[in-house]
């Protein structure tokens, strides 16, 4: 087992371990005291991977009180699912010293984390991310939460997991479009980081072909980068905002298309739009570089035809929630590895940038 281990240096710190053919029982025994566990998963991941995880927990001395499965997909990040999961834990007799294991993508991680943060005012939480997006992004950093009809991620909390463990073999069953979507976040962090991590983006094509060395290198680089950014600014008072690169217009596109456009594809278009904006505002031309990277991960260079005014309206609502300020605030790249954040952008500039990436 070729294992990578990264410690997220917050207080208390927590380990993120990732590798192909992960011996989960051994890792659990090394990292945690055993106790009562519940597993939360979804209807795609559960049938594929929950039985092995349950066995690993038992082999490591845990008692698995329940395995709870929610329907796969974003709609499960809602109040009804939250109530359903909390109810199952209560009925299974999970107590204050229990631990919830979230086995799945970002949906299961965010929902499970929010249940763990609040059930009995907080139980233990372990993230077992199975999607690329969850491995490189959502499982590190402690943001957990659910959606309400008024907006995505509007109810949530910060919660430090006790452990994050990812078996890269889980990615073998991940649909290709989801793999591409996860690579969008990898590209984002490689561009923000620069250096060796950026050089490793030459392996995107191999990662998309599920080459395990390429996946491992990119996943570990992403986890290290995100861990460092999070440790500097856990509650997002400042620099953590750079992780929103491509997400200002990206979220606008997601909302304007009624979430028909997958997150990774929306972020791709958002990054490309930000590159156009940077060319106009900062005189740095990284547009072709962005196009090359996105293409090698099989990500689209254009968002589907959507009314620009709708995207702007969604961005306005998003912005009011975030800042209450009149202008949009963007993360832009002065160069690879040199992000600037909080860059004020007026309506006309934003409109042109969106126009550059909408079909
Ligand atoms: N907390 C954070 O910091 C943070 C950061 C980014 C995104 N998010 C959240 O993450 C969510 C998106 O995460 P996601 O893209 O993982 O979505 P997801 O959890 O819906 O997973 C995507 C799809 O892949 C399937 N899947 C996952 N792993 C699989 C596997 N190994 N084999 C087969 N199928 C598998 C899922 O069942 C689902 O259908 C959003 O709700 C977003 O808000 C949170
Ligand atoms: Zn994202």
């Amino acid at each position: 087992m070729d294992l990578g281990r990264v410690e997220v240096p917050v207080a208390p710190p927590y380990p993120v371990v990732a590798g192909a053919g992960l011996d989960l029982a051994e890792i659990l025994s090394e990292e945690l005291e055993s106790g009562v566990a519940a597993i939360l998963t979804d209807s795609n991941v559960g049938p594929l991977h929950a039985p092995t995880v349950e066995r690993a927990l038992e082999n490591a001395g845990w008692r698995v009180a329940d395995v709870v499965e929610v329907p796969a997909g974003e709609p499960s990040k809602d109040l009804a699912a939250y109530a359903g999961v909390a109810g199952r834990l209560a009925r299974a007799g999970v107590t204050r010293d229990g631990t919830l294991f979230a086995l799945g993508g970002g949906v299961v991680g965010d929902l499970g984390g929010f249940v763990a943060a609040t059930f009995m005012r907080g139980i233990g939480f372990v993230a077992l991310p199975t999607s690329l997006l969850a491995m490189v992004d959502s499982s590190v950093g402690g943001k957990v939460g659910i959606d309400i009809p008024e907006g995505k991620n509007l109810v949530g909390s910060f919660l430090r997991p006790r452990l994050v463990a990812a078996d890269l073999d889980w990615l073998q069953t991940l649909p290709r479009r989801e793999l591409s979507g996860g690579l969008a976040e990898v590209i984002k962090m490689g561009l923000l980081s620069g250096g060796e991590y950026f050089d490793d983006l030459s392996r995107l094509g191999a990662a998309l072909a599920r080459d395990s060395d390429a996946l491992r290198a990119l996943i570990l680089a992403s986890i290290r980068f995100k861990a460092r950014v999070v440790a500097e600014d856990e509650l997002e008072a400042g620099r953590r905002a750079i992780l929103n690169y491509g997400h200002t217009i990206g979220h606008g596109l997601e909302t304007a298309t009624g979430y028909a456009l997958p997150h990774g594809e929306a972020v791709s278009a958002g990054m490309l739009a930000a590159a156009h904006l940077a060319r106009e505002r900062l005189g740095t031309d990284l547009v072709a570089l962005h196009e090359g990277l996105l293409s090698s991960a099989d990500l689209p260079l254009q968002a589907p035809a959507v009314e620009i005014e709708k995207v702007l309206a969604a961005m306005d609502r998003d912005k009011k929630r975030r800042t209450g300020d009149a202008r949009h605030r963007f993360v832009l790249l002065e160069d690879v590895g040199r992000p600037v954040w909080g860059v004020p952008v007026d309506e006309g500039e934003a409109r042109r940038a969106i126009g550059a990436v909408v079909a």
Side-chain angles (χ1 to χ4, degrees):
M1 185 172 44
D2 191 10
L3 203 66
R5 188 179 191 282
V6 178
E7 195 146 276
V8 184
V10 289
Y14 56 90
V16 182
V17 290
L22 199 78
D23 185 341
L24 191 58
E26 188 185 309
I27 287 157
L28 288 169
S29 308
E30 272 168 19
E31 304 282 356
L32 303 174
E33 290 281 315
S34 62
V36 174
I39 300 173
L40 177 68
T41 187
D42 76 20
S43 53
N44 289 336
V45 179
L48 293 167
H49 305 295
T52 0
V53 167
E54 192 175 356
R55 255 194 319 277
L57 275 163
E58 283 163 1
N59 288 340
W62 291 75
R63 183 173 77 77
V64 180
D66 204 354
V67 180
V68 183
E69 199 177 283
V70 294
E74 186 73 24
S76 281
K77 246 176 78 174
D78 75 347
L79 280 164
Y82 169 81
V85 178
R88 285 279 291 267
L89 299 190
R91 291 193 294 280
V94 174
T95 47
R96 183 72 188 80
D97 54 1
T99 300
L100 182 64
F101 288 75
L103 173 73
V107 165
V108 163
D110 280 12
L111 170 67
F114 188 57
V115 171
T118 47
F119 183 73
M120 296 194 170
R121 296 193 187 78
I123 60 173
F125 181 58
V126 171
L128 304 175
T130 62
S131 71
L132 182 59
L133 180 134
M135 289 182 191
V136 300
D137 193 350
S138 62
S139 69
V140 179
K143 287 187 183 176
V144 297
I146 56 174
D147 308 329
I148 56 174
E150 288 73 13
K152 208 168 127 64
N153 298 327
L154 275 190
V155 174
S157 176
F158 282 95
L159 171 71
R160 295 188 188 115
R162 297 172 66 193
L163 166 71
V164 181
D167 187 340
L168 305 193
D169 288 347
W170 289 333
L171 296 175
Q172 298 300 332
T173 57
L174 187 71
R176 183 181 157 98
R177 197 169 180 187
E178 299 292 345
L179 197 61
S180 279
L183 288 175
E185 305 286 359
V186 171
I187 293 171
K188 175 192 81 180
M189 289 189 273
L191 284 166
L192 292 169
S193 153
E196 241 178 82
Y197 180 8
F198 173 72
D199 296 338
D200 271 350
L201 295 182
S202 63
R203 307 177 77 175
L204 285 168
L208 186 61
R210 297 175 211 257
D211 173 87
S212 54
D213 281 344
L215 278 170
R216 181 178 189 281
L218 290 172
I219 289 169
L220 284 171
S222 307
I223 293 171
R224 271 189 222 105
F225 179 74
K226 183 151 185 196
R228 207 166 57 232
V229 175
V230 165
E232 282 168 21
D233 177 23
E234 197 179 17
L235 302 181
E236 198 167 324
R239 191 170 190 266
R240 185 169 176 169
I242 63 172
L243 296 171
N244 292 325
Y245 185 57
H247 283 61
T248 312
I249 288 178
H251 281 153
L253 288 166
E254 274 184 286
T255 311
T257 56
Y259 296 95
L261 187 65
H263 180 73
E265 294 174 27
V267 170
S268 299
M271 289 192 283
L272 196 53
H276 281 279
L277 208 49
R279 184 162 69 184
E280 188 174 325
R281 284 292 293 272
L282 312 172
T284 333
D285 192 351
L286 301 176
V287 172
L289 174 72
H290 279 66
E291 289 177 343
L293 292 171
L294 296 172
S295 303
S296 62
D298 218 4
L299 287 159
L301 301 181
Q302 274 198 324
V306 45
E307 274 173 60
I308 296 179
E309 296 311 313
K310 264 193 173 176
V311 183
L312 279 169
M315 285 167 59
D316 264 330
R317 283 194 301 275
D318 222 23
K319 176 189 65 189
K320 284 200 194 90
R321 287 215 310 259
R322 270 161 224 271
T323 62
D325 143 352
R327 284 194 293 178
H328 299 282
R329 298 278 167 179
F330 270 73
V331 182
L332 296 179
L333 291 176
E334 282 181 339
D335 202 346
V336 170
R338 282 185 27 221
V340 284
W341 67 96
V343 181
V345 165
D346 65 38
E347 199 88 346
E349 290 170 312
R351 188 178 284 116
R352 277 197 297 285
I354 300 164
V357 298
V358 167

